Amino acid sequence: MPRFDVRGLARRAATLRLLRRGGNTVTVPEAEDAGRERLRDLAAVLCELGAELLRAGEQTSEVERLLADVAARYGMRVRSFVVPTGLFVRVGGGPDGRGGELDFAPVEGPDLRLDQVEALQSLVARMRAEALPFAEVSRGLRELRERPERFSPAATVLGYVLLTVGLGSMRHATVPAVAGYAVLGAGVGLLRLFGDRLPAARTALPVVAAILVTAVSLRWAGPLLHEAPTVLYVPPLIAFLPGAALTLGAIELATGAALSGMARLAGAAGVLFLLALGILVGTELLRPHPSSGAMAQPLGEWAPWVGVLLLGFGFLLYFSAPPRVTFWLLGALLVERFVQSAAAGFAGAAFGAFAAGMLLPPMARWISRRSHTPDQVVFLPCFWLLVPGAVGLTSVSEIVVEGDTGGGLDSLVTTVITVAAIALGVLVGAGLQRRPRVSLGEPVPATVPPSAPSPESSPDAPQGTRGPTAEL
C-alpha cells in the first residue's frame, strides 16, 4: 500500500488556516532556493508588466499591489518604486529589502487601447492565479503590444467624430453646432490618424490641432453656423483633454503618492497650456467674422442624453473596445450621467461629481464580474464622461486668450473643486470593496515527524510550486 503522507497533510492544513485568517488573502509558500538567474528573469518580467499597466492608465499604488501579488505567486518577495514614467523592481532578498536582483523599465509609447487593456488585465488575472512561465508572459505582452486595431481607419475617424459630437451635445446642442462638431471632429480625427503614424510629430500634435480648430471656427463659425466660435473650440480636442490624468493625479496625492501625483498633474497642466497656446496662435492668425443671422434654438433636454450614447459608441470605435461590452459600457455611461445630474440638482455640482466618482469603482467591478470584462475597460470611458479636462481647457483659454482673469479664475477654481470631488468619490468607492490578495507565507513548521519525503518538499520540485497553493 502507498505510504500515508502525514507531513503533506499537515502542511496543507496549516496553509488553509492561513487562508482562513486572511479572508480574501491567498497565501503561498516562499521559494527557498531560487537562483540568481531566476530572480533576474522575474525582475525583468515584472518591470515589463508594470510598464504596460501604467500605459493602461492604472494608478501607481495599484501597479505596486499587482506586482506584489504576481511575485508572491512565484514564491518571491518584491519591493517596487513606481512613477508614471517608469518603475524600479527588486525581487528576492530579505524582508528588509536587501539583496535580490534589481531591474528598471521606462514607460514608453502611447496609451493602450481598450482591447489591449482587456488582454493585459486577462494576463494579469492568470498570473495572479498561477505561476506562468516567463517566456509565456513575455510572449503575451509582446502580442498585446502588436495587436492590430480592431476597426479600419475610416471607422476610427468615425469614432472620433462621434466622440466630438457627443461631448459637444452635452455642452451646447443646436443643429448648426452639431454640424460644426462633426466637421471639426473629422478633421482632427484625420490629423490624429496621421500623427499616430509619425511618433516624432506626437508632441506638436495638440498645438497644431488647436491652431487649426481655432482658425476654422473663427473663419466660418459665424457666417455659416451663426454660432459663437468659442462654442466649437473644446469638443474637437477631446482626445487631448487630460481629464483622467487630472483625476488620477489628485487621487495619488490624496493617497500619499506625492511624486506620482505631482507628475500626473504637471503633465496634465502642460497639455492644457499647449492647447491654450494653440488657441492663442489661432486667434492671432484670424479674426472672427460676425454672424449675420439669428442663433439657432437648443435641441432640448434630450440632447445631452443622446450625447452620452454617442460618446459611448465613439469610445467603442476609436479605442477598439470589444463589441460585447457595448451594452455594459453604454449602461455605465448613462448611469454615471444620471447620478451626476441627480446629485448635482440635489446639492450642487461638486456633490454630483463626488457621487458619480463614488459609484464608479463598485459599478465597474460589478460589470466586470458579470460580463467577464476587466473593470478598467469601463472605468476609463466613465472618467472621460466627467470631463474635468474640458472645463480646465475652457478656463485656461479664457485667461490666456481672452484675458478674462476673473471668469477664467472662477472656471479654474471650479475645475480644481470638480477634480478633487471626483478623486474623493473614487477613493471612497474603492474603499468599500474587498479585493483578493496573494501574500507570501512564512515557512510552515513541521509539527508532525516526517515519515517519508513528500513531493512538495522534494528538491526537484519546480520553483514557485513547492508546498500547497490556493487558487484565487
Short mmCIF file of all heavy atoms in Angstrom, two decimals, residues 17-58:
data_model
loop_
_atom_site.label_atom_id
_atom_site.label_comp_id
_atom_site.label_asym_id
_atom_site.label_seq_id
_atom_site.Cartn_x
_atom_site.Cartn_y
_atom_site.Cartn_z
N ARG A 17 -5.32 27.17 7.21
CA ARG A 17 -5.55 28.04 8.37
C ARG A 17 -5.11 29.46 8.05
O ARG A 17 -5.77 30.43 8.41
CB ARG A 17 -4.81 27.49 9.58
CG ARG A 17 -5.45 26.27 10.21
CD ARG A 17 -4.92 26.05 11.61
NE ARG A 17 -3.48 25.81 11.62
CZ ARG A 17 -2.93 24.60 11.49
NH1 ARG A 17 -3.70 23.53 11.32
NH2 ARG A 17 -1.63 24.44 11.52
N LEU A 18 -3.95 29.60 7.38
CA LEU A 18 -3.51 30.94 6.98
C LEU A 18 -4.51 31.58 6.04
O LEU A 18 -4.80 32.77 6.12
CB LEU A 18 -2.13 30.85 6.31
CG LEU A 18 -0.95 30.52 7.23
CD1 LEU A 18 0.30 30.29 6.37
CD2 LEU A 18 -0.72 31.60 8.24
N LEU A 19 -5.06 30.80 5.13
CA LEU A 19 -6.04 31.34 4.18
C LEU A 19 -7.28 31.83 4.90
O LEU A 19 -7.82 32.89 4.61
CB LEU A 19 -6.39 30.27 3.15
CG LEU A 19 -7.46 30.61 2.12
CD1 LEU A 19 -7.04 31.82 1.31
CD2 LEU A 19 -7.73 29.43 1.22
N ARG A 20 -7.78 31.06 5.89
CA ARG A 20 -8.98 31.47 6.61
C ARG A 20 -8.73 32.73 7.41
O ARG A 20 -9.59 33.58 7.54
CB ARG A 20 -9.44 30.32 7.52
CG ARG A 20 -10.16 29.21 6.77
CD ARG A 20 -10.88 28.32 7.76
NE ARG A 20 -9.95 27.57 8.59
CZ ARG A 20 -9.50 26.36 8.28
NH1 ARG A 20 -9.90 25.78 7.16
NH2 ARG A 20 -8.69 25.72 9.07
N ARG A 21 -7.53 32.88 7.97
CA ARG A 21 -7.25 34.09 8.73
C ARG A 21 -7.25 35.31 7.85
O ARG A 21 -7.62 36.40 8.26
CB ARG A 21 -5.88 33.97 9.41
CG ARG A 21 -5.81 32.91 10.51
CD ARG A 21 -4.49 33.03 11.25
NE ARG A 21 -4.23 31.85 12.06
CZ ARG A 21 -3.20 31.03 11.90
NH1 ARG A 21 -2.33 31.26 10.93
NH2 ARG A 21 -3.03 30.00 12.67
N GLY A 22 -6.81 35.17 6.60
CA GLY A 22 -6.65 36.33 5.75
C GLY A 22 -7.89 36.76 5.02
O GLY A 22 -7.86 37.74 4.28
N GLY A 23 -9.02 36.03 5.17
CA GLY A 23 -10.23 36.45 4.46
C GLY A 23 -10.06 36.22 2.97
O GLY A 23 -10.07 35.09 2.49
N ASN A 24 -9.86 37.30 2.20
CA ASN A 24 -9.67 37.20 0.75
C ASN A 24 -8.21 37.04 0.37
O ASN A 24 -7.86 37.21 -0.78
CB ASN A 24 -10.22 38.46 0.08
CG ASN A 24 -11.71 38.35 -0.13
OD1 ASN A 24 -12.30 37.32 0.13
ND2 ASN A 24 -12.32 39.42 -0.58
N THR A 25 -7.34 36.77 1.32
CA THR A 25 -5.92 36.65 1.05
C THR A 25 -5.56 35.20 0.78
O THR A 25 -5.88 34.32 1.57
CB THR A 25 -5.08 37.18 2.22
OG1 THR A 25 -5.40 38.54 2.43
CG2 THR A 25 -3.60 37.04 1.94
N VAL A 26 -4.90 34.93 -0.33
CA VAL A 26 -4.40 33.61 -0.66
C VAL A 26 -2.92 33.57 -0.31
O VAL A 26 -2.15 34.42 -0.76
CB VAL A 26 -4.60 33.31 -2.16
CG1 VAL A 26 -4.00 31.97 -2.52
CG2 VAL A 26 -6.08 33.32 -2.50
N THR A 27 -2.52 32.60 0.51
CA THR A 27 -1.15 32.51 0.98
C THR A 27 -0.43 31.40 0.24
O THR A 27 -0.93 30.28 0.16
CB THR A 27 -1.11 32.25 2.49
OG1 THR A 27 -1.85 33.28 3.15
CG2 THR A 27 0.32 32.26 3.00
N VAL A 28 0.73 31.71 -0.30
CA VAL A 28 1.54 30.72 -1.00
C VAL A 28 2.88 30.63 -0.30
O VAL A 28 3.35 31.61 0.31
CB VAL A 28 1.73 31.09 -2.49
CG1 VAL A 28 0.41 31.08 -3.22
CG2 VAL A 28 2.40 32.45 -2.62
N PRO A 29 3.53 29.47 -0.35
CA PRO A 29 4.82 29.32 0.34
C PRO A 29 5.94 30.04 -0.40
O PRO A 29 5.88 30.24 -1.61
CB PRO A 29 5.04 27.81 0.34
CG PRO A 29 4.30 27.33 -0.85
CD PRO A 29 3.09 28.22 -0.97
N GLU A 30 6.95 30.38 0.33
CA GLU A 30 8.09 31.09 -0.24
C GLU A 30 9.03 30.11 -0.93
O GLU A 30 9.30 29.02 -0.41
CB GLU A 30 8.84 31.85 0.85
CG GLU A 30 10.01 32.65 0.34
CD GLU A 30 10.67 33.48 1.44
OE1 GLU A 30 10.16 33.43 2.57
OE2 GLU A 30 11.68 34.15 1.16
N ALA A 31 9.53 30.49 -2.11
CA ALA A 31 10.54 29.70 -2.80
C ALA A 31 11.87 29.87 -2.08
O ALA A 31 12.39 30.99 -1.98
CB ALA A 31 10.65 30.13 -4.26
N GLU A 32 12.43 28.78 -1.59
CA GLU A 32 13.58 28.88 -0.68
C GLU A 32 14.93 28.82 -1.37
O GLU A 32 15.93 29.18 -0.78
CB GLU A 32 13.48 27.75 0.36
CG GLU A 32 12.19 27.83 1.19
CD GLU A 32 12.03 26.60 2.08
OE1 GLU A 32 12.93 25.74 2.03
OE2 GLU A 32 11.03 26.52 2.80
N ASP A 33 14.98 28.32 -2.61
CA ASP A 33 16.30 28.13 -3.25
C ASP A 33 16.32 28.68 -4.68
O ASP A 33 16.82 28.05 -5.58
CB ASP A 33 16.69 26.65 -3.24
CG ASP A 33 15.63 25.77 -3.90
OD1 ASP A 33 14.55 26.30 -4.20
OD2 ASP A 33 15.90 24.57 -4.10
N ALA A 34 15.70 29.86 -4.88
CA ALA A 34 15.71 30.47 -6.21
C ALA A 34 17.10 30.96 -6.57
O ALA A 34 17.77 31.61 -5.76
CB ALA A 34 14.72 31.63 -6.25
N GLY A 35 17.53 30.65 -7.79
CA GLY A 35 18.84 31.08 -8.23
C GLY A 35 18.83 32.52 -8.72
O GLY A 35 17.78 33.14 -8.90
N ARG A 36 20.04 33.05 -8.92
CA ARG A 36 20.16 34.45 -9.34
C ARG A 36 19.55 34.66 -10.72
O ARG A 36 18.93 35.70 -10.98
CB ARG A 36 21.63 34.86 -9.37
CG ARG A 36 22.42 34.58 -8.12
CD ARG A 36 21.87 35.34 -6.93
NE ARG A 36 21.98 36.78 -7.11
CZ ARG A 36 21.65 37.66 -6.17
NH1 ARG A 36 21.16 37.25 -5.01
NH2 ARG A 36 21.77 38.96 -6.38
N GLU A 37 19.70 33.68 -11.60
CA GLU A 37 19.13 33.84 -12.95
C GLU A 37 17.61 33.92 -12.89
O GLU A 37 16.99 34.72 -13.59
CB GLU A 37 19.57 32.68 -13.83
CG GLU A 37 19.08 32.81 -15.27
CD GLU A 37 19.58 31.67 -16.15
OE1 GLU A 37 20.34 30.82 -15.63
OE2 GLU A 37 19.21 31.64 -17.33
N ARG A 38 17.00 33.10 -12.03
CA ARG A 38 15.55 33.15 -11.90
C ARG A 38 15.10 34.48 -11.33
O ARG A 38 14.08 35.05 -11.76
CB ARG A 38 15.07 32.00 -11.02
CG ARG A 38 13.56 31.98 -10.82
CD ARG A 38 13.12 30.77 -10.02
NE ARG A 38 11.70 30.82 -9.71
CZ ARG A 38 10.72 30.50 -10.55
NH1 ARG A 38 11.01 30.11 -11.77
NH2 ARG A 38 9.46 30.58 -10.18
N LEU A 39 15.84 35.02 -10.37
CA LEU A 39 15.50 36.33 -9.81
C LEU A 39 15.58 37.42 -10.86
O LEU A 39 14.72 38.30 -10.94
CB LEU A 39 16.42 36.65 -8.63
CG LEU A 39 16.28 35.79 -7.37
CD1 LEU A 39 17.30 36.23 -6.33
CD2 LEU A 39 14.87 35.86 -6.81
N ARG A 40 16.63 37.37 -11.69
CA ARG A 40 16.77 38.38 -12.74
C ARG A 40 15.64 38.28 -13.76
O ARG A 40 15.11 39.30 -14.21
CB ARG A 40 18.13 38.23 -13.44
CG ARG A 40 19.32 38.71 -12.62
CD ARG A 40 20.57 38.82 -13.48
NE ARG A 40 21.01 37.50 -13.92
CZ ARG A 40 21.88 36.75 -13.25
NH1 ARG A 40 22.39 37.17 -12.10
NH2 ARG A 40 22.25 35.57 -13.73
N ASP A 41 15.29 37.05 -14.14
CA ASP A 41 14.20 36.88 -15.11
C ASP A 41 12.88 37.39 -14.55
O ASP A 41 12.11 38.05 -15.26
CB ASP A 41 14.08 35.41 -15.50
CG ASP A 41 15.26 34.91 -16.30
OD1 ASP A 41 16.00 35.76 -16.85
OD2 ASP A 41 15.46 33.68 -16.39
N LEU A 42 12.60 37.10 -13.29
CA LEU A 42 11.35 37.55 -12.70
C LEU A 42 11.33 39.08 -12.57
O LEU A 42 10.30 39.72 -12.83
CB LEU A 42 11.14 36.91 -11.33
CG LEU A 42 9.86 37.30 -10.59
CD1 LEU A 42 8.63 36.99 -11.43
CD2 LEU A 42 9.78 36.60 -9.24
N ALA A 43 12.47 39.69 -12.21
CA ALA A 43 12.52 41.15 -12.11
C ALA A 43 12.27 41.79 -13.48
O ALA A 43 11.54 42.79 -13.59
CB ALA A 43 13.88 41.58 -11.56
N ALA A 44 12.84 41.21 -14.54
CA ALA A 44 12.63 41.76 -15.88
C ALA A 44 11.17 41.63 -16.30
O ALA A 44 10.58 42.55 -16.89
CB ALA A 44 13.54 41.06 -16.88
N VAL A 45 10.54 40.49 -16.01
CA VAL A 45 9.13 40.28 -16.38
C VAL A 45 8.23 41.24 -15.61
O VAL A 45 7.29 41.83 -16.18
CB VAL A 45 8.74 38.82 -16.12
CG1 VAL A 45 7.23 38.65 -16.17
CG2 VAL A 45 9.38 37.91 -17.16
N LEU A 46 8.50 41.43 -14.32
CA LEU A 46 7.67 42.34 -13.53
C LEU A 46 7.82 43.78 -14.01
O LEU A 46 6.84 44.54 -14.02
CB LEU A 46 8.04 42.22 -12.05
CG LEU A 46 7.68 40.91 -11.37
CD1 LEU A 46 8.13 40.93 -9.91
CD2 LEU A 46 6.19 40.63 -11.46
N CYS A 47 9.02 44.18 -14.40
CA CYS A 47 9.21 45.53 -14.94
C CYS A 47 8.43 45.71 -16.23
O CYS A 47 7.76 46.74 -16.44
CB CYS A 47 10.70 45.79 -15.18
SG CYS A 47 11.62 46.24 -13.70
N GLU A 48 8.50 44.73 -17.10
CA GLU A 48 7.76 44.81 -18.37
C GLU A 48 6.26 44.85 -18.12
O GLU A 48 5.53 45.64 -18.75
CB GLU A 48 8.13 43.61 -19.24
CG GLU A 48 7.59 43.67 -20.66
CD GLU A 48 8.03 42.47 -21.48
OE1 GLU A 48 8.64 41.55 -20.92
OE2 GLU A 48 7.73 42.47 -22.69
N LEU A 49 5.79 44.05 -17.18
CA LEU A 49 4.37 44.03 -16.85
C LEU A 49 3.93 45.36 -16.23
O LEU A 49 2.88 45.91 -16.58
CB LEU A 49 4.08 42.88 -15.89
CG LEU A 49 2.64 42.73 -15.40
CD1 LEU A 49 1.72 42.39 -16.56
CD2 LEU A 49 2.55 41.67 -14.31
N GLY A 50 4.73 45.90 -15.31
CA GLY A 50 4.38 47.16 -14.68
C GLY A 50 4.33 48.32 -15.66
O GLY A 50 3.46 49.19 -15.56
N ALA A 51 5.24 48.34 -16.63
CA ALA A 51 5.23 49.40 -17.63
C ALA A 51 3.94 49.36 -18.46
O ALA A 51 3.34 50.40 -18.76
CB ALA A 51 6.45 49.28 -18.55
N GLU A 52 3.49 48.15 -18.81
CA GLU A 52 2.24 48.05 -19.58
C GLU A 52 1.04 48.44 -18.73
O GLU A 52 0.08 49.03 -19.23
CB GLU A 52 2.07 46.63 -20.12
CG GLU A 52 3.16 46.20 -21.09
CD GLU A 52 3.29 47.16 -22.27
OE1 GLU A 52 2.26 47.65 -22.76
OE2 GLU A 52 4.44 47.42 -22.69
N LEU A 53 1.05 48.12 -17.44
CA LEU A 53 -0.05 48.53 -16.57
C LEU A 53 -0.13 50.05 -16.47
O LEU A 53 -1.23 50.63 -16.43
CB LEU A 53 0.14 47.92 -15.18
CG LEU A 53 -0.14 46.42 -15.06
CD1 LEU A 53 0.32 45.89 -13.71
CD2 LEU A 53 -1.62 46.13 -15.27
N LEU A 54 1.01 50.72 -16.43
CA LEU A 54 0.99 52.18 -16.39
C LEU A 54 0.48 52.75 -17.70
O LEU A 54 -0.24 53.76 -17.71
CB LEU A 54 2.40 52.70 -16.09
CG LEU A 54 2.91 52.47 -14.67
CD1 LEU A 54 4.38 52.82 -14.55
CD2 LEU A 54 2.10 53.29 -13.67
N ARG A 55 0.84 52.14 -18.81
CA ARG A 55 0.29 52.59 -20.11
C ARG A 55 -1.22 52.36 -20.19
O ARG A 55 -1.90 53.03 -20.97
CB ARG A 55 0.98 51.86 -21.25
CG ARG A 55 2.44 52.26 -21.48
CD ARG A 55 3.04 51.46 -22.60
NE ARG A 55 2.32 51.69 -23.85
CZ ARG A 55 2.28 50.83 -24.86
NH1 ARG A 55 2.88 49.65 -24.76
NH2 ARG A 55 1.63 51.12 -25.97
N ALA A 56 -1.72 51.41 -19.40
CA ALA A 56 -3.16 51.14 -19.39
C ALA A 56 -3.93 52.11 -18.50
O ALA A 56 -5.15 52.00 -18.40
CB ALA A 56 -3.41 49.71 -18.93
N GLY A 57 -3.23 53.04 -17.83
CA GLY A 57 -3.90 54.03 -17.01
C GLY A 57 -4.11 53.62 -15.57
O GLY A 57 -4.93 54.24 -14.87
N GLU A 58 -3.39 52.62 -15.06
CA GLU A 58 -3.53 52.21 -13.68
C GLU A 58 -2.83 53.20 -12.75
O GLU A 58 -1.86 53.85 -13.12
CB GLU A 58 -2.93 50.82 -13.47
CG GLU A 58 -3.73 49.69 -14.08
CD GLU A 58 -4.95 49.31 -13.25
OE1 GLU A 58 -5.23 50.01 -12.26
OE2 GLU A 58 -5.61 48.34 -13.63
#
